[in-house]
């Protein structure tokens, strides 16, 4: 088959060369987005609105303790304006509890599925936490809220939002996958025109394509079906990512769990 494809002389066809040129331009456009300085937005306590907490000068931030017997939003950073993109939210804090307090981002005016983000729990062994936010369109009224769980102490000292190059990396990935599919279809059409592929073979290939598409459908959604081991596997994947970012290879201890 390789010999038969070589005899097609695809690189002599103007349409194939134009197709490759277009794909190369798209890949280069994605690669260009990987370079350059990403925007970083710093928010001090002047930008925060206290709800439950009060400013403690010795602690250097808004604080709450279990003696108050309250739980809910401790402090909120409101009115944040960001263009579309992928951002990393970094909250600076101190606490003496694990998974009692959390940080989340929200926007009540955002259109459906234009703001994609999870919340992140706060841990006593850390002084900052971060999670990613996907903005499919520009937003002008984002709020980052820190929720106090009602036990232990919590001090919020600042917030940082960093732009990432995830969209450019996604573009490169999609272009490469799309180029492989388009090029394969182009080669098949040229092969069929030259050698007349049997109808039975075409039917088999079509059915295999449908089966592959149906089997891959769970990977094409923005959600996952919950099961008993879902949280374990998500934390395991996060642990591998954090281990690699911390310089481990192979990853021996998952920082997220420790």
């Amino acid at each position: 088959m390789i010999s038969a494809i070589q005899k097609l002389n695809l690189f002599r066809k103007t349409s194939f060369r134009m197709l490759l040129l277009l794909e190369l331009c798209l890949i280069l456009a994605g690669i260009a987005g990987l370079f350059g300085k990403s925007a970083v937005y710093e928010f001090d306590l002047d930008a925060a609105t206290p709800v439950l907490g009060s400013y403690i000068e010795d602690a250097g931030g808004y604080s709450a303790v279990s003696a108050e017997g309250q739980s809910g939003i401790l402090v909120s950073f409101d009115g944040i304006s960001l263009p579309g993109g992928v951002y990393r939210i970094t909250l600076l804090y101190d606490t003496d509890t694990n998974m009692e307090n959390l940080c989340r981002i929200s926007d009540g005016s955002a259109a459906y599925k234009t703001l994609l983000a999870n919340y992140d729990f706060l841990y006593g062994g850390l002084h900052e936490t971060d999670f990613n936010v996907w903005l499919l369109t520009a937003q002008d009224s984002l709020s980052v809220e820190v929720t106090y769980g009602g036990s232990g102490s919590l001090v919020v000292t600042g917030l940082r939002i960093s732009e990432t190059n995830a969209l450019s990396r996604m573009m490169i990935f999609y272009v490469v996958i799309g180029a492989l599919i388009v090029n394969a279809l182009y080669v098949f059409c040229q092969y069929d025109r030259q050698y007349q592929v049997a109808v039975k073979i075409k039917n088999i290939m079509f059915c295999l394509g449908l089966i592959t598409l149906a089997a891959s459908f769970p990977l094409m959604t923005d959600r996952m079906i919950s099961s008993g081991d879902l949280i374990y596997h998500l934390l395991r994947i996060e642990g591998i990512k954090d281990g690699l970012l911390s310089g481990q290879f192979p990853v021996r201890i998952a920082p997220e769990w420790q």
Side-chain angles (χ1 to χ4, degrees):
M1 180 179 292
I2 294 177
S3 177
I5 292 176
Q6 290 176 342
K7 293 179 181 179
L8 294 176
N9 296 318
L10 294 175
F11 287 99
R12 294 185 179 181
K13 298 181 181 296
T14 303
S15 58
F16 189 65
R17 293 201 301 265
M18 294 298 295
L19 178 61
L20 293 179
L21 179 61
L22 175 61
E23 294 167 352
L24 179 61
C25 290
L26 292 175
I27 292 176
L28 291 177
I31 293 176
L34 300 178
F35 301 94
K37 189 174 181 179
S38 299
V40 178
Y41 305 88
E42 299 279 355
F43 299 89
D44 56 21
L45 297 179
D46 292 335
T49 302
V51 181
L52 290 179
S54 57
Y55 182 76
I56 305 297
E57 185 174 356
D58 293 340
Y62 288 104
S63 176
V65 294
S66 57
E68 297 176 2
Q70 296 177 333
S71 63
I73 297 176
L74 171 68
V75 65
S76 178
F77 296 83
D78 301 321
I80 299 174
S81 177
L82 294 174
V86 181
Y87 298 88
R88 181 174 292 110
I89 308 295
T90 303
L91 178 72
L92 308 178
Y93 70 92
D94 282 295
T95 186
D96 56 4
T97 60
N98 294 321
M99 299 185 69
E100 290 288 338
N101 313 304
L102 59 87
C103 177
R104 75 174 77 222
I105 186 170
S106 63
D107 187 346
S109 64
Y112 180 62
K113 288 189 176 182
T114 56
L115 169 61
L116 306 176
N118 292 323
Y119 55 82
D120 202 18
F121 284 106
L122 310 183
Y123 294 88
L126 305 176
H127 298 289
E128 65 178 47
T129 188
D130 59 73
F131 58 96
N132 286 345
V133 174
W134 302 75
L135 291 178
L136 303 186
T137 61
Q139 302 294 335
D140 296 323
S141 56
L142 295 168
S143 296
V144 176
E145 301 171 345
V146 183
T147 300
Y148 176 64
S151 63
S153 64
L154 172 63
V155 179
V156 175
T157 57
L159 176 71
R160 181 171 63 250
I161 300 179
S162 306
E163 186 181 15
T164 71
N165 60 9
L167 284 182
S168 296
R169 288 185 276 117
M170 286 181 60
M171 177 181 176
I172 296 173
F173 176 79
Y174 285 139
V175 169
V176 171
I177 297 300
L180 291 175
I181 295 174
V182 171
N183 292 346
L185 290 175
Y186 183 93
V187 173
F188 178 79
C189 291
Q190 296 297 324
Y191 187 92
D192 180 44
R193 182 180 301 175
Q194 181 72 24
Y195 301 108
Q196 298 297 318
V197 179
V199 175
K200 180 179 179 180
I201 299 298
K202 292 181 180 179
N203 290 336
I204 292 175
M205 295 178 66
F206 179 75
C207 291
L208 287 175
L210 287 181
I211 293 172
T212 302
L213 182 65
S216 303
F217 181 75
L219 302 176
M220 300 178 185
T221 65
D222 60 354
R223 61 189 183 278
M224 284 182 286
I225 299 174
S226 181
S227 63
D229 289 338
L230 177 62
I231 300 301
Y232 164 78
H233 287 295
L234 291 177
L235 285 173
R236 180 176 58 84
I237 295 170
E238 286 284 328
I240 293 174
K241 181 264 295 183
D242 290 337
L244 293 174
L245 290 177
S246 68
Q248 289 190 63
F249 185 80
V251 177
R252 298 173 296 280
I253 297 178
E256 186 75 16
W257 282 3
Q258 299 301 322

